[in-house]
Amino acid sequence: MERLDAFMARATAAYYATRDPFGAAGDFITAPEISQAFGECLGLWCAVVWEQMGRPDPVILAELGPGRGTLMADALRAIAEVAPAFRAALRPHLVEASPRLREAQRARLGAYVIWHQEIASLPTGPALILANEFFDALPVRQFVRRGDAWAERFVADGAFLEHPALDAPPLPGAASEGAVQEVSEMSRAVVAALAARPGTALLILDYGPAAGGFGDTLQAMQTHAAADPLAEPGSRDITAHVDFAALAAAAREAGATAHGPLPQGLFLQRLGLATRAAALARARPSQAAAQLSAAQRLLAPEAMGRLFKALAVCDAALPIPPGFES
């Protein structure tokens, strides 16, 4: 028997250590694999924020959980074309624990990228940090309202067990019977640590509600279909919705400014993703329909445009970053 967050951490580590889960042949597909315009737009977002920082040289450009390296490759290509001074100043860093995914990243990006096993080893100094679908994979605790108290969920033999919540974080005082409250202590700690770094801008894109609330959002994907998150640990992708309100609060408590969250569709529209996709369609007529369909998938409210959100956490001295203007 183990607490849900410990179970989730163990299962996720085993999962990513043994497979490449991305794309049609894997278990799920992420935005960078859907359209190259996604990574290009984020790269140019970083270029503008670098200008807002006063053009520090050198500057860290880091990605948390970089998958196959697709986002970083697209970002670096766009930066080299549009902002060569930023490209010369930046030093690419990837935070990736999976040896298998590191090999895929090395094949795509070359050996000049610096890899890190954990976020804490990123060097100090001005930094632009991207986190696309990273926080949803961090472990959560689940608390269930029973009578006038909270119980916590543990996992044993593929099923939930409940025990009194003895070391729970602050939880709502009132809740209906059976209500589930999720808390990702690791997510809050990561944001707080990055928010406390001077001269840092963190951009989070992930899925979840803009405001926190009750609900069990634990889920798993296997071969692009829903699966039991408690069965066969290490064989499927386990995630939970990101509590953006909690992350923003953690950032502000650490002294940074939080911008958003905004619906991903609105954010990407403001960054010009639709315009970029249209240009790619004109340049490659044989792929025009696929390019425009991919952009629609990222932007449309009924696809990824509303459920996915964008949140920026910036040094309080920085101005409002692009895309988050009111």
Side-chain angles (χ1 to χ4, degrees), residues 24-314:
D27 292 328
F28 58 88
I29 189 167
T30 59
E33 306 287 344
I34 293 172
S35 172
Q36 73 179 69
F38 180 82
E40 292 171 347
C41 286
L42 297 197
L44 298 183
W45 182 91
C46 290
V48 175
V49 177
W50 177 69
E51 294 279 354
Q52 294 177 332
M53 289 177 165
R55 300 166 63 98
D57 184 359
V59 62
I60 296 162
L61 177 60
E63 186 180 356
L64 312 182
R68 292 172 171 169
T70 305
L71 190 161
M72 182 62 80
D74 292 338
L76 291 174
R77 183 180 60 253
I79 291 166
E81 293 175 2
V82 177
F86 175 44
R87 181 64 187 87
L90 70 85
R91 305 293 184 267
H93 292 252
L94 301 178
V95 179
E96 179 59 71
S98 167
R100 180 161 181 172
L101 290 177
R102 281 195 185 195
E103 287 305 312
Q105 295 153 16
R106 186 173 287 107
R108 189 171 296 247
L109 295 166
Y112 64 90
V113 174
I114 300 171
W115 277 268
H116 301 267
Q117 186 77 11
E118 54 187 20
I119 296 170
S121 68
L122 286 172
T124 58
L128 296 142
I129 302 175
L130 301 173
N132 178 63
E133 291 197 52
F134 171 77
F135 284 92
D136 63 277
L138 297 187
V140 299
R141 299 173 70 179
Q142 284 188 345
F143 301 92
V144 186
R145 189 70 172 189
R146 297 302 183 200
D148 59 356
W150 290 95
E152 183 162 12
R153 281 181 166 171
F154 288 69
V155 180
D157 299 324
F160 281 130
L161 297 176
E162 294 179 8
H163 291 276
L166 301 178
D167 61 344
L171 296 169
S176 60
E177 178 68 20
V180 176
Q181 180 70 55
E182 291 181 343
V183 178
S184 178
E185 294 170 320
M186 183 178 291
S187 295
R188 297 180 185 185
V190 167
V191 167
L194 294 175
R197 289 173 51 110
T200 293
L202 165 66
L203 179 62
I204 301 169
L205 293 112
D206 225 311
Y207 57 94
F214 298 117
D216 177 356
T217 71
L218 192 71
Q219 59 188 344
M221 293 291 291
Q222 192 171 35
T223 60
H224 298 270
D228 181 353
L230 304 185
E232 302 176 40
S235 69
R236 56 202 64 190
D237 176 53
I238 306 175
T239 61
H241 284 194
V242 174
D243 185 344
F244 283 95
L247 298 192
R252 295 186 184 105
E253 289 169 8
T257 303
H259 304 277
L262 293 178
Q264 174 180 280
L266 174 61
F267 176 70
L268 294 177
Q269 189 74 39
R270 289 177 173 178
L271 295 192
L273 186 137
T275 301
R276 176 57 179 157
L280 290 171
R282 290 192 298 271
R284 307 167 190 167
S286 64
Q287 301 176 23
Q291 293 285 353
L292 297 175
S293 175
Q296 186 70 5
R297 183 172 176 182
L298 296 175
L299 297 170
E302 65 274 15
M304 297 172 69
R306 181 184 294 124
L307 175 60
F308 282 70
K309 307 291 190 305
L311 175 71
V313 173
C314 299

